[in-house]
Amino acid sequence: MNETKTNDPTPDVSRRTFLYSLGAMALAACGGEAGSAASLIRSAAGGTASARALTHAATGEAEIVTSGAFVHPGLLHTRGDFDRMALKVSTQTTPWIDGWNVLIANGHASLSWSPRPQVEVDRGGSGPQNYPVLYNDIAAAYACALRWRIGGDQRYADKAVQIMNAWSSTLQRLGGETNVDLAAGIYGYEFANAGEIMRGYAGWAPTDFAAFQSMMRNIFYPINADFLSRHNGTDITHYWANWDLCNIASVMAIGVLCDDRTLFDSGINYFLNGPGNGAIAQAVYYVHPGYLGQWQESGRDQGHNTLGIALGGVICEMAWNQGIDAYGHDNNRFLAGAEYVAKSNLVQPDGTYLTVPYATYSNVDVTQSAFSTASQGTVRPCWALVYNHYVNRRGIAAPWSTKFALAIQPEGGGGNYGSTSGGYDQLGYGTLTCTRDAVAGAATPSGLTAWPEAGRVVLSWWGMAGASSYTVKRAATTGGPYGVVASGIVDPLSHTDNPGQGTWYYVVTAATASGESGTSAQVAAVTALAAHTLLGFDEASGTVAADATGNGHTGTLVGGATQVAGKIGNAVSLDGATGYVSLPDDIVADISDFTVAAWINWKRANRWARVFDFGAGTGRYMFLTPMGSAGVVRFAITTNGPYGERRLDGTAALPLDQWVHVAVTLSGTTATLYVNGAAVDSSSDFIFAPWRIGETAQNWIGRSQWSGDPLFAGLIDDFRLYRGAMAASQVAALMQRW
């Protein structure tokens, strides 16, 4: 079964045949979506004359630039991994020996395997579909390479080399319709992994290894890079996460195989902060309490949903083996996704499945309002990697991934169900290759967060391997003393506290076999209204707008931004051409419930001008415009571009040439828009608090995330941002002060 065979529903304009010829592919450097000011271009010349580029989102996080020699072998498996496998198999240790027995019983791991190289491999379109020939030969090369590295029989090394030489001396093109992007991605990362295992083998002539590298760089990589840069000319949200993920994995794997850090860096940076659905912030679309991370394809079907974990795990492991902790990025966001997918697909003893929370997901093509049970229970050989990294390598609890891994071991290779047939969307054999002895469990729970929502505090944390339950403690002063507010918590690792108004300090401990653990790192939660940023713009001159709160959120006047007489003292005047105010990175990354308010004197009625726009480009932002597409004032927030926006629309555009007070509040999931102290719209479906936008480097007053939108022309005064939602009476009082 191959869950990615479903044809891409790209409009006909993109349904063209792709024929990528060896040495003939010249990629023009290109940006992200048209009109986006968010895309930063990272060139990836890769030592050839071709100009190659991948887009990178505008977040507050620095781009990774690696240096020095690569670890070899250093993709899914390192020399230390092979030493461990060989020792465990030679000593007949379970479960490694069980995984070995599955490997050697697989027909792909056979000296009688005969490669069938093709001049052209096609996936998709109306012509013959011969791509199974390629993925079966890759499976054979990988299986034979494992047999040699673990068992030491040189005949299997020679068989793996024979297969790879046959293809590198024959293959000239990958073709078909847009599904060729899946072929280049999935089979690209898999083939590169087989080659990486065999590099340095004395029986693989340097010229033949170079020919294999050339095939990967010049036939597979150009398709990977072109897809990630252009997405076949479609909207950035059109392609499901797996399309990005497989191409990211291929770019990274080919980078290591070819000792090209530019390729590798571009791939891992896309995964960590890219604009498409394969970037981890989009792939794990919504993190529910207890760190259950809703995967992007959860409303589609579980065959594709589980493939995301297989591909994401490959990316994280290849990065880890080159010294980059993508597993731990954004508070273990990948683990949150894995736990959600594992919990919802692990069949229970009575044949049923557990339910998981679900947030409505929308992209350019669909709106999905419920978790899909299609293909629920799909088994892929991917869980051993997740379980062994987080639990046995890091000591972090991953209960649902653990249960799935142990339930299906020992996995086979290739097919979705660990069989010897199927689509080979993953390499498999995880019990053999990924199992490792457990380290000591983490000393304390980790990753604790506490987000105020409508006066309550929602806490989540990561558990410790081997712990049985958890206790939440709260203090009114930093450092304690702490009192117990909840105990005996098992699943999910979350608690909602109702402490009253104030500033509260929380820690979590675990119950272990040796007693209570140490306390987690302390986190604070503010449930009372508290000033976060206050820009009065009262300076007489210069480019600095001081933050009166003392929190250091200083504004910087840019271009045609000047000080003039305002509603209250001075105001900032923006010329509508080059003027705006820039605020610090990550300005709303620590905010859940909020109030934002300002006095506005609008001088030029342009649609989509911004009072403010805080974000990481055109996919993740929150903004206020005096006039949106409906001709009325609008507030919106999203983590998935315009299609996922939660919006508030007023009853009219803001008037011109007069001072108007505008405010927006969020309390839990209820947002309200006020004009001159009166509520003009409200909604209870605002599931995106500002902290969910993530790290941001484009935080502006008077400027939009979209480069094609006009800059604000007019005056802005008394810009205020608070933690906590003001009541309607407080908003009215704030306006009436002046």
Side-chain angles (χ1 to χ4, degrees), residues 84 88 93-94 96 388 391-393 434-440:
R84 179 187 69 250
K88 297 295 188 179
T93 305
T94 298
W96 292 269
N388 279 282
V391 178
N392 289 342
R393 185 190 263 161
C434 301
T435 301
R436 56 186 65 243
D437 292 318
V439 300

Side-chain angles (χ1 to χ4, degrees), residues 463-532:
M464 300 161 47
S468 57
S469 66
Y470 299 86
T471 297
V472 175
K473 301 179 181 182
R474 182 184 70 222
T477 58
T478 183
Y482 302 102
V484 173
V485 296
S487 61
I489 300 169
V490 176
D491 178 72
L493 300 189
S494 178
H495 175 69
T496 299
D497 190 28
N498 192 4
Q501 289 195 353
T503 299
W504 308 101
Y505 303 89
Y506 293 91
V507 295
V508 175
T509 63
T512 72
S514 56
E516 186 177 26
S517 75
T519 59
S520 68
Q522 175 186 274
V523 295
V526 180
T527 55
L529 194 69
H532 179 276

Side-chain angles (χ1 to χ4, degrees), residues 56-381:
H56 185 272
T59 70
E61 181 171 316
E63 188 175 51
I64 290 173
V65 179
T66 60
S67 61
F70 280 112
V71 174
H72 292 302
L75 290 178
L76 283 175
H77 318 302
T78 65
R79 188 175 303 278
D81 292 334
F82 285 120
D83 290 344
R84 179 187 69 250
M85 296 177 220
L87 174 63
K88 297 295 188 179
V89 169
S90 68
T91 56
Q92 301 282 298
T93 305
T94 298
W96 292 269
I97 188 61
D98 306 310
W100 171 259
N101 289 334
V102 170
L103 168 67
I104 63 178
N106 191 307
H108 293 88
S110 170
L111 296 176
S112 63
W113 188 272
S114 296
R116 294 191 294 157
Q118 309 289 305
V119 172
E120 178 178 325
V121 170
D122 292 314
R123 176 166 178 164
S126 58
Q129 304 288 294
N130 63 345
Y131 66 94
V133 175
L134 173 60
Y135 68 61
N136 275 290
D137 274 1
I138 293 172
Y142 177 73
C144 289
L146 288 182
R147 289 200 69 166
W148 166 63
R149 276 285 193 176
I150 299 168
D153 190 332
Q154 185 174 315
R155 295 176 301 164
Y156 290 96
D158 293 336
K159 175 57 67 173
V161 166
Q162 177 199 6
I163 296 168
M164 290 187 284
N165 284 349
W167 278 92
S168 62
S169 62
T170 304
L171 183 65
Q172 297 182 31
R173 296 179 295 275
L174 297 178
E177 42 97 271
T178 54
N179 277 274
V180 72
D181 297 319
L182 293 173
I186 295 172
Y187 313 137
Y189 94 77
E190 292 178 338
F191 222 170
N193 265 273
E196 178 72 4
I197 294 173
M198 296 308 304
R199 74 181 305 139
Y201 171 55
W204 200 2
T207 54
D208 290 337
F209 177 58
F212 184 80
Q213 289 176 307
S214 179
M215 175 185 69
M216 300 308 300
R217 179 191 291 275
N218 294 302
I219 296 179
F220 288 84
Y221 170 73
I223 304 176
N224 306 145
D226 180 69
F227 177 79
L228 292 172
S229 292
R230 297 191 311 104
H231 291 85
N232 294 318
T234 64
D235 183 273
I236 196 67
T237 67
H238 166 67
Y239 282 97
W240 298 98
N242 291 333
W243 291 71
D244 273 359
L245 289 168
C246 66
N247 282 283
I248 292 167
S250 184
V251 168
M252 291 173 61
I254 293 170
V256 174
L257 179 76
C258 296
D259 285 301
D260 190 324
R261 286 207 171 272
T262 304
L263 270 64
F264 177 82
D265 291 356
S266 66
I268 188 58
N269 278 304
Y270 195 108
F271 179 71
L272 298 179
N273 290 301
N277 286 326
I280 190 61
Q282 282 81 255
V284 181
Y285 165 67
Y286 192 88
V287 179
H288 298 273
Y291 297 144
L292 286 173
Q294 181 177 319
W295 200 261
Q296 189 251 354
E297 303 196 41
S298 297
R300 185 186 183 194
D301 66 71
Q302 299 312 304
H304 289 96
N305 215 32
T306 52
L307 178 57
I309 304 305
L311 293 171
V314 164
I315 291 167
C316 289
E317 184 67 11
M318 293 190 300
W320 178 269
N321 287 333
Q322 297 301 331
I324 298 170
D325 187 11
Y327 282 114
H329 176 74
D330 195 11
N331 197 9
N332 301 316
R333 195 175 184 102
F334 174 69
L335 177 57
E339 285 292 279
Y340 182 95
V341 175
K343 184 174 185 178
S344 57
N345 281 278
L346 184 62
V347 64
Q348 301 304 295
D350 62 359
T352 63
Y353 297 95
L354 297 174
T355 59
V356 289
Y358 185 85
T360 296
Y361 171 79
S362 298
N363 61 29
V364 67
D365 302 305
V366 299
T367 292
Q368 297 167 334
S369 58
F371 179 88
S372 174
T373 58
S375 303
Q376 193 171 17
T378 292
V379 175
R380 290 183 183 271

Side-chain angles (χ1 to χ4, degrees), residues 383-424:
W383 297 106
L385 182 63
V386 179
Y387 156 57
N388 279 282
H389 172 78
Y390 288 105
V391 178
N392 289 342
R393 185 190 263 161
R394 304 296 291 165
I396 300 171
W400 300 107
S401 299
T402 298
K403 289 179 180 180
F404 218 129
L406 299 181
I408 66 173
Q409 71 178 24
E411 312 99 311
N416 299 342
Y417 298 93
S419 66
T420 58
S421 61
Y424 286 89

